[in-house]
Amino acid sequence: MTSKVKVGDRLSYDGAICTARYIGEVAGTTGNWIGVEWDDASRGKHDGSHKGQRYFTCKSKSPTAASFVRPTRTAEPPRSFVTALKEKYTAEIATGGIEIRFSGKLAEEVGFEKIRRKQADLAELKHAILDSTRVARGSDEQRIGETCPKVINLELSRNLFTHLGTVVGICSELPGLRNLRLNGNRFQDVFQDEGLQDAEKVFANVTELALEENLMNWNEICHVATKFPALANLSLDLNQLSTLPAVPLKSLSKTLVSLNLEFNEFTSFMDIASLSELKSLRNLHLKGNNISVITSNVADPAPVLSSSVRFLDISYNQVSEWTFIDDLSTTFPGLTSLRFAHNPIYENPDPELSAQSKSIGEDAYMITVGRISQLEKLNFGNITQTDRQNAEMFYLSRIGKHLAAVPPGQEAEVLKYHKRYEVLCELYGAPAVNRTKEINPAFLEARLIKVQFIYHAPRSADNEAPPSEKTSKIPKSYDIYRVKGIAGKLFGQKPLDLRLVWETGEWDPVAGFDDEVDVDDDSGGEGNDAEEEKQEAAAEAAAGGETLQTERKVGKWVKREVELRDGPRQLGFCVDGLEAKVRVEVR
């Protein structure tokens, strides 16, 4: 058979399938060669060129898809559909089955014999799996319709077909066929294939079709797919598709529900804009492409797909900007379920505040939910009402931090990247914008703490003077003894007679904060005593001082204060930030 090989023939060598692309001499060698393109692109050595001379061109873009083999090399013979079917499902019964081993040990088969015998009854077979069985034609002997008339699901991937018309002939005898998988085949001349003339009638009831890794272009795919009048699910993974030209999709516009375009080469949604013609499409799978933007040209309007699209998978792409997520609602107005994990934006979900984004996966999840109001599912998880509220408040707080990082006059520049800001403010109120002056850590200013001393003179009948205030910049490295020395000098007091209390400006809950109103308590007051003991135990030294509580209570909260106790600890370790308010009292 090898001596009669023609360009375009499908060949199998030791189980590895290839397509003959060239027959002839190769410079620097003697005799003829067969230039082949391997289905497994990693198997070859070049791309059809050898020592600077091109002999043929591969469909695959891989640089190692091709090699040369001698015509004398024996290829495995092709089979008919019926022969392959019988060998696959009846040979095991005749030979007693195939041994199953794990780590070299023979496994005991329980129930396999019954399954094999059921599958060997070809007249009742419903799922025919003939993947990689060297099928190249229909039947040489018994008719297919007489052999396996009840087949519903047919797997014919990675075989030796050269024309799709051969598949049409096989399927014409399977009236119950609903699912057809033709992955990894290399069909030629689909536009001139006369075998497709009756395809619409043969495939009238087929609802699922897989043409993955066939290396067909979009025009060829559409020409084939429109031969399936009832097609609902179409899978086109690994076809090197980079753009989908506008092609009339005829009946697909009304029937196609799910389209799989994973692991192709799209870079933007403009590359798939022609899919807007599919008015019944609900699920769109774009995992593993190179999508990073909505449109490659910012001047182009965003494409708008049918509002019927509810689920979108764009995981494992190249999205690195949150504006992409903001614009998803424009391109997919009906979107309610999104898979978005494993994009660069998930590695740094808050680039403007990267140092504050520690829980990367959770932050990215929250920001995504906060930015897309209509989402009901994200990364296969349901979004509850509580989830949405938490995410939107988290996102709003992030916006507040972005605003705090710029001068007031630049807030508009920040807000143009947060399209839901006004809506979220109406729901939850405007976020706090606390601007703090950033200081170069190398400057002296970064090593000084601005301390506002508030001196409370001892009260007496003759002295009712209000507190006096004085400010001093003190190095962080000063210990509390030296700080007291500065306070004593400012207010004319003996340093060791003074008591310094840092007023943190924060509030803590008091005992009974979580108590409910109007609830009977049979504990006889023990609950309040226990709570007081907890508070006393919690009043331990912190940052070189002792946590205190002012007597003035606001509701069930009290201001938190810390006494700066005598000792060698540095001021920078006892207070937070570069400013502090310290109350000075005479013991």
Side-chain angles (χ1 to χ4, degrees):
M1 181 256 179
T2 305
S3 61
K4 300 180 181 179
V5 171
K6 304 183 300 297
V7 172
D9 283 352
R10 297 278 283 162
L11 307 170
S12 177
Y13 296 104
D14 301 321
I17 301 175
C18 60
T19 304
R21 300 291 187 200
Y22 169 81
I23 299 175
E25 297 181 351
V26 176
T29 67
T30 60
N32 286 340
W33 293 85
I34 302 175
V36 301
E37 177 185 355
W38 298 100
D39 288 10
D40 178 1
S42 65
R43 184 181 176 87
K45 298 180 179 180
H46 52 80
D47 64 351
S49 61
H50 180 64
K51 292 185 178 180
Q53 182 175 343
R54 178 161 297 283
Y55 292 90
F56 59 95
T57 301
C58 297
K59 282 193 172 182
S60 171
K61 296 179 181 179
S62 170
T64 60
S67 60
F68 292 103
V69 299
R70 286 294 188 181
T72 54
R73 182 175 178 178
T74 302
E76 296 166 305
R79 295 174 173 148
S80 71
F81 176 86
V82 173
T83 299
L85 192 72
K86 289 182 176 180
E87 290 187 12
K88 173 71 179 287
Y89 290 99
T90 63
E92 293 182 9
I93 293 295
T95 60
I98 299 175
E99 289 186 351
I100 301 176
R101 294 179 176 271
F102 297 98
S103 302
K105 297 181 180 180
L106 182 64
E108 181 181 358
E109 298 183 24
V110 179
F112 283 92
E113 183 68 20
K114 181 178 180 180
I115 294 173
R116 281 198 297 267
R117 291 191 178 279
K118 184 176 181 180
Q119 290 179 331
D121 185 2
L122 299 182
E124 297 296 323
L125 186 67
K126 294 184 178 180
H127 308 280
I129 302 175
L130 296 179
D131 182 294
S132 303
T133 53
R134 305 198 307 276
V135 177
R137 57 188 181 275
S139 175
D140 294 330
E141 56 284 325
Q142 185 178 358
R143 288 177 55 83
I144 295 172
E146 297 173 356
T147 306
C148 53
K150 296 185 179 181
V151 169
I152 297 174
N153 300 317
L154 178 58
E155 170 70 81
L156 288 176
S157 298
R158 287 165 281 278
N159 279 291
L160 302 182
F161 300 113
T162 57
H163 289 85
L164 192 57
T166 305
V167 177
V168 176
I170 293 172
C171 297
S172 65
E173 298 188 53
L174 302 175
L177 188 64
R178 298 293 182 272
N179 187 336
L180 178 61
R181 300 183 65 81
L182 300 172
N183 302 330
N185 286 288
R186 298 290 185 269
F187 298 115
Q188 304 173 23
D189 305 321
V190 295
F191 292 106
Q192 288 77 40
D193 192 340
E194 296 181 356
L196 292 179
Q197 291 181 355
D198 298 326
E200 290 187 41
K201 181 179 179 181
V202 171
F203 298 135
N205 298 316
V206 175
T207 59
E208 298 185 28
L209 173 65
L211 294 172
E212 300 174 7
E213 207 173 353
N214 287 40
L215 305 187
M216 301 170 70
N217 62 45
W218 182 241
N219 289 338
E220 291 172 328
I221 289 170
C222 292
H223 181 71
V224 173
T226 51
K227 303 296 182 182
F228 293 75
L231 190 62
N233 301 298
L234 178 59
S235 187
L236 303 172
D237 294 1
L238 296 161
N239 273 301
Q240 301 181 155
L241 298 170
S242 59
T243 186
L244 306 182
V247 177
L249 298 178
K250 298 181 180 179
S251 59
L252 291 182
S253 176
K254 298 179 181 179
T255 64
L256 196 63
V257 173
S258 180
L259 179 59
N260 196 324
L261 291 166
E262 296 183 353
F263 302 104
N264 281 287
E265 299 174 3
F266 306 116
T267 59
S268 74
F269 284 143
M270 284 300 294
D271 298 333
I272 62 167
S274 61
L275 297 181
S276 59
E277 187 177 341
L278 300 175
K279 303 304 181 183
S280 297
L281 188 64
R282 289 181 59 87
N283 306 315
L284 181 57
H285 301 260
L286 295 170
K287 174 183 176 181
N289 281 271
N290 295 309
I291 296 172
S292 61
V293 293
I294 302 292
T295 62
S296 54
N297 188 343
V298 294
D300 293 335
V304 179
L305 273 69
S306 172
S307 59
S308 62
V309 178
R310 307 297 297 279
F311 171 78
L312 174 66
D313 185 348
I314 49 172
S315 58
Y316 294 93
N317 275 272
Q318 299 299 320
V319 179
S320 59
E321 299 290 340
W322 283 112
T323 53
F324 179 97
I325 290 297
D326 292 334
D327 294 337
L328 276 183
S329 299
T330 300
T331 300
F332 300 95
L335 185 67
T336 59
S337 181
L338 174 68
R339 188 184 182 203
F340 183 54
H342 303 288
N343 276 276
I345 195 70
Y346 263 61
E347 299 173 6
N348 187 6
D350 205 348
E352 297 178 53
L353 295 170
S354 57
Q356 301 183 36
S357 295
K358 302 301 183 184
S359 181
I360 290 176
E362 183 178 353
D363 282 12
Y365 175 91
M366 303 277 271
I367 295 173
T368 304
V369 174
R371 286 178 177 263
I372 307 179
S373 61
Q374 73 269 31
L375 274 191
E376 298 174 2
K377 292 184 178 181
L378 177 59
N379 298 332
F380 302 123
N382 291 328
I383 301 171
T384 66
Q385 184 61 32
T386 300
D387 292 337
R388 172 155 296 284
Q389 290 178 352
N390 291 338
E392 290 177 340
M393 287 189 289
F394 174 84
Y395 173 42
L396 191 59
S397 70
R398 274 288 183 263
I399 299 175
K401 292 182 178 180
H402 291 170
L403 294 173
V406 302
Q410 297 181 15
E411 289 185 350
E413 287 296 313
V414 172
L415 294 180
K416 74 179 184 180
Y417 294 107
H418 301 284
K419 295 184 177 181
R420 299 197 66 215
Y421 178 71
E422 292 185 1
V423 173
L424 296 178
C425 286
E426 291 179 3
L427 291 173
Y428 308 106
V433 179
N434 299 316
R435 291 185 174 84
T436 57
K437 181 181 178 182
E438 294 187 5
I439 302 174
N440 189 322
F443 292 170
L444 174 62
E445 188 178 0
R447 300 193 292 271
L448 299 176
I449 297 177
K450 182 179 179 181
V451 181
Q452 179 185 4
F453 290 105
I454 304 173
Y455 174 64
H456 290 258
R459 290 190 176 186
S460 65
D462 300 329
N463 184 13
E464 294 292 338
S468 58
E469 299 182 9
K470 293 185 179 181
T471 300
S472 178
K473 290 185 177 181
I474 303 175
K476 289 181 178 181
S477 59
Y478 277 23
D479 59 30
I480 302 302
Y481 287 121
R482 297 186 70 179
V483 174
K484 282 194 171 184
I486 294 172
K489 186 175 182 181
L490 288 174
F491 300 107
Q493 300 291 329
K494 294 181 180 180
L496 295 181
D497 290 342
L498 298 179
R499 179 171 179 262
L500 303 183
V501 179
W502 172 39
E503 297 182 352
T504 67
E506 299 177 357
W507 295 81
D508 287 336
V510 299
F513 178 78
D514 293 327
D515 292 351
E516 295 185 5
V517 179
D518 297 331
V519 176
D520 293 335
D521 185 3
D522 297 330
S523 63
E526 295 178 0
N528 290 335
D529 294 340
E531 194 64 36
E532 290 176 2
E533 291 176 3
K534 290 180 181 179
Q535 281 201 352
E536 292 174 0
E540 58 186 16
E546 181 180 356
T547 301
L548 306 173
Q549 293 178 347
T550 60
E551 296 181 359
R552 182 168 59 99
K553 297 182 179 180
V554 180
K556 295 185 177 181
W557 297 78
V558 295
K559 284 185 176 181
R560 183 164 62 88
E561 300 176 342
V562 178
E563 181 177 355
L564 304 181
R565 304 180 67 179
D566 296 347
R569 293 202 67 184
Q570 297 178 355
L571 177 63
F573 290 101
C574 296
V575 300
D576 295 333
L578 298 179
E579 295 185 3
K581 181 183 289 187
V582 176
R583 189 169 71 250
V584 181
E585 300 174 347
V586 177
R587 295 182 184 276

